[in-house]
Amino acid sequence: MKVVVENLTGTLFYVQVGNKATVADLKREIEAQQKLPYDRLIFILDTDDHDQRRSHLIKDDVDGVLLADYGVQDGSHIYMFVNPLDDGSTDHPFEFNWSDSLLG
């Protein structure tokens, strides 16, 4: 399947993965294609549910979770974020924490 990925700057790119691809497979493909760090990638799936837009955090904390389990299909639009490096300081302009209750 081919998915559309959009980064924070609004740049779109396409990623081709198999129909049985996992979240880890998508991360590996983006790491190779875009030269971004695998372990810092965060995804939000944009879904259009009968005149209502919804977004869902795509978690990868369970091995083997298929993208299809999150509703990702050919042509899906996925927002990609890169988690900032933790340099040990507590002076960050923002903190990147997602709550499922806020997304869905």
Side-chain angles (χ1 to χ4, degrees), residues 43 56 71 103:
F43 303 121
H56 300 283
L103 297 173

Side-chain angles (χ1 to χ4, degrees), residues 22-43 58-65 80-83 85:
T22 64
V23 177
D25 293 333
L26 178 62
K27 283 186 163 191
R28 276 192 289 277
E29 187 61 35
I30 290 173
E31 179 180 48
Q33 181 181 336
Q34 300 292 315
K35 308 296 186 237
L36 294 169
Y38 171 96
D39 59 336
R40 293 177 43 213
L41 298 178
I42 298 168
F43 303 121
I58 298 177
K59 297 180 183 180
D60 67 339
D61 53 359
V62 179
D63 288 337
V65 175
M80 179 190 70
F81 302 88
V82 179
N83 202 3
L85 285 174

Side-chain angles (χ1 to χ4, degrees), residues 42-92:
I42 298 168
F43 303 121
I44 305 286
L45 175 63
D46 182 23
T47 59
D48 190 359
D49 188 19
H50 304 291
D51 300 325
Q52 184 177 7
R53 293 202 80 98
R54 296 179 161 233
S55 297
H56 300 283
L57 179 63
I58 298 177
K59 297 180 183 180
D60 67 339
D61 53 359
V62 179
D63 288 337
V65 175
L66 300 179
L67 291 171
D69 293 339
Y70 288 105
V72 177
Q73 56 191 347
D74 192 51
S76 286
H77 190 132
I78 297 173
Y79 294 100
M80 179 190 70
F81 302 88
V82 179
N83 202 3
L85 285 174
D86 184 8
D87 62 1
S89 101
T90 57
D91 187 28
H92 291 287

